[in-house]
Amino acid sequence: WPLDTAGGSVHFIVLLNWTVMILYNYFNAMFVGPGYVPLGWAPEKSQDCMYLQYCKVCQSYKAPRSHHCRKCNRCVMKMDHHCPWINNCCGYQNHASFTLFLLLAPLGCIHASFIFVMTMYTQLYNRISFGWSSVKIDMSAAKRDPRPIIPFGLSAFAASLFALGLALGTTIAVGMLFIIQMKVILTNKTSIESWIEEKAKDRIQYYQTGETFIFPYDMGSKWKNFKQVFTWSGIPEGDGLDWPVRDGCHQYSLTIEQLKQKADKRVRSVRYQAVEDYSGVCCPVTKGVKTFFTTPCTEEPRIALSKGDLILATRGLKHWMYGEKILDSAADGGIRERGWFPRKCVEKCQYDSEMDQPMDGEKKSR
């Protein structure tokens, strides 16, 4: 039993500490939240609005490093991702708590795994007898051990083995997430910003502009980047709206790059017209077996289509496409409708002289 020995007492107390710290950081990440850009927010200098994107849902400009979350329906400060396990976004205010949870959960599970392994070893040690051609296991009480032990039958062994599997699985899965988070924290990025940086390199290479994109928020030192997220007070530095930038960079260097990528996406987008109705279900049965089994494994929504709808497709898979439905902005309040739809439900439009898509040579000259 836990308190019968000094070693058992130490393990018991340490396990309780793991549990308390894990649950504290988990619920802190869940209920504190990432922090949201105030509704109606705009930069102090009106001329800075030209560097920012405008969110029609929040009726405000998107502050640097903020992004709109469809799940939370708000613009999130320094958004990293939306986590279904905390039912909230990971961002400016709860990034540290979320990362500590990803660290403490594997450590606690490693400790639990050690206890499970040693429990099964000590309990089975006196129950296993080896013969010349057989191994016998006696799951009744221990034969020679006079010390009081917890009754350990076949059901307890199965439960311990199952719990060991859960602990090891959690250690591997959550530990990998922790490594991913630490990589972006030590460069003072988020997962979204890492993706924006990759797209910036692709854009520069595609158009051969000769420019160099430098991520503005990397302080040049892993320790300085670390302190941007983790502080002794538990409150991250700054206000979530204005950020320190490295020498030679502009406060809006990242948002300017985002605007360039938005313009580039419009240039590369292709207009399609719906030839079949689509209800917007995740796995449509009536659109073919391949479409059913190759549905995108993503939280991004599907959009319902009616015959004759126009869509601007920006990316696609073999049997699915992602794009934005062209709506009447006056009738629909300017709200964009984006998502996945089956490729077989649409066909490429035949462009007239005013809507012709630019050829590769024309794209590179833009």
Side-chain angles (χ1 to χ4, degrees):
W1 291 95
L3 301 180
D4 282 351
T5 63
S9 300
V10 170
H11 281 299
F12 183 67
I13 294 172
V14 173
L15 278 173
L16 284 180
N17 284 331
W18 289 129
T19 303
V20 171
M21 290 189 295
I22 289 170
L23 291 178
Y24 172 78
N25 284 284
Y26 175 77
F27 288 113
N28 204 37
M30 180 186 296
F31 294 115
V32 170
Y36 302 107
V37 177
L39 297 176
W41 180 84
E44 294 182 0
K45 299 179 180 179
S46 58
Q47 60 267 32
D48 290 342
C49 294
M50 62 183 295
Y51 304 125
L52 301 173
Q53 299 180 69
Y54 186 78
C55 179
K56 296 179 181 178
V57 177
C58 298
Q59 296 293 308
S60 62
Y61 286 92
K62 295 181 181 179
R65 312 190 77 176
S66 68
H67 303 273
H68 186 83
C69 175
R70 289 190 296 266
K71 300 288 186 180
C72 300
N73 204 32
R74 287 289 301 274
C75 287
V76 177
M77 294 190 292
K78 196 189 174 186
M79 179 179 174
D80 185 86
H81 68 285
H82 184 92
C83 178
W85 304 109
I86 63 174
N87 194 31
N88 212 334
C89 279
C90 174
Y92 164 68
Q93 290 184 351
N94 63 352
H95 202 174
S97 297
F98 181 78
T99 307
L100 286 174
F101 164 71
L102 297 182
L103 169 64
L104 295 170
L107 291 179
C109 287
I110 290 172
H111 187 192
S113 300
F114 172 76
I115 293 177
F116 285 131
V117 170
M118 295 309 298
T119 297
M120 289 187 287
Y121 171 76
T122 55
Q123 294 290 338
L124 294 176
Y125 180 76
N126 291 326
R127 292 175 165 83
I128 301 178
S129 58
F130 294 91
W132 287 106
S133 60
S134 63
V135 178
K136 295 182 179 180
I137 301 178
D138 182 10
M139 294 305 294
S140 60
K143 297 177 180 178
R144 296 179 297 275
D145 195 347
R147 294 177 299 171
I149 60 173
I150 300 174
F152 196 81
L154 184 61
S155 59
F157 175 77
S160 298
L161 194 62
F162 178 71
L164 175 62
L166 289 179
L168 292 177
T170 302
T171 300
I172 296 172
V174 181
M176 292 177 63
L177 293 176
F178 170 73
I179 293 173
I180 294 173
Q181 285 298 310
M182 285 306 302
K183 284 183 177 179
V184 296
I185 287 175
L186 292 178
T187 55
N188 201 15
K189 299 175 185 174
T190 64
S191 301
I192 295 177
E193 290 167 350
S194 297
W195 175 237
I196 292 174
E197 186 177 29
E198 288 297 319
K199 290 195 293 183
K201 295 176 182 178
D202 292 340
R203 182 187 63 81
I204 293 172
Q205 183 179 8
Y206 182 81
Y207 291 109
Q208 301 177 2
T209 60
E211 59 183 311
T212 302
F213 176 75
I214 300 175
F215 185 74
Y217 305 115
D218 187 351
M219 297 290 99
S221 165
K222 292 183 178 180
W223 175 243
K224 290 181 180 179
N225 292 334
F226 181 84
K227 290 194 298 182
Q228 288 286 311
V229 177
F230 296 96
T231 61
W232 289 111
S233 64
I235 302 174
E237 293 188 0
D239 59 358
L241 299 174
D242 295 317
W243 302 90
V245 296
R246 62 188 302 169
D247 295 338
C249 290
H250 192 269
Q251 178 66 233
Y252 300 107
S253 294
L254 186 66
T255 59
I256 293 172
E257 174 59 32
Q258 288 178 263
L259 292 174
K260 290 180 180 179
Q261 292 180 12
K262 292 284 186 182
D264 178 48
K265 186 167 70 172
R266 286 193 293 269
V267 169
R268 298 196 194 192
S269 62
V270 180
R271 185 184 294 254
Y272 284 82
Q273 185 173 24
V275 294
E276 294 182 18
D277 293 338
Y278 167 56
S279 62
V281 296
C282 181
C283 301
V285 180
T286 60
K287 303 304 178 185
V289 176
K290 293 181 179 179
T291 302
F292 179 84
F293 285 106
T294 59
T295 181
C297 297
T298 173
E299 290 187 350
E300 292 174 315
R302 276 64 170 167
I303 54 174
L305 298 178
S306 299
K307 192 173 181 179
D309 286 345
L310 296 177
I311 308 100
L312 281 178
T314 55
R315 51 192 165 103
L317 303 174
K318 186 174 182 180
H319 300 288
W320 288 83
M321 301 188 74
Y322 184 91
E324 177 180 340
K325 187 188 295 187
I326 301 176
L327 303 172
D328 184 357
S329 59
D332 295 282
I335 305 299
R336 295 184 299 178
E337 190 174 347
R338 295 179 294 179
W340 292 92
F341 53 91
R343 185 182 286 268
K344 68 173 300 183
C345 292
V346 297
E347 65 178 14
K348 190 175 180 180
C349 291
Q350 298 297 323
Y351 297 97
D352 54 27
S353 59
E354 295 180 356
M355 295 298 297
D356 281 342
Q357 291 290 299
M359 302 299 289
D360 287 345
E362 292 176 318
K363 286 183 179 179
K364 292 184 180 181
S365 65
R366 286 176 180 259

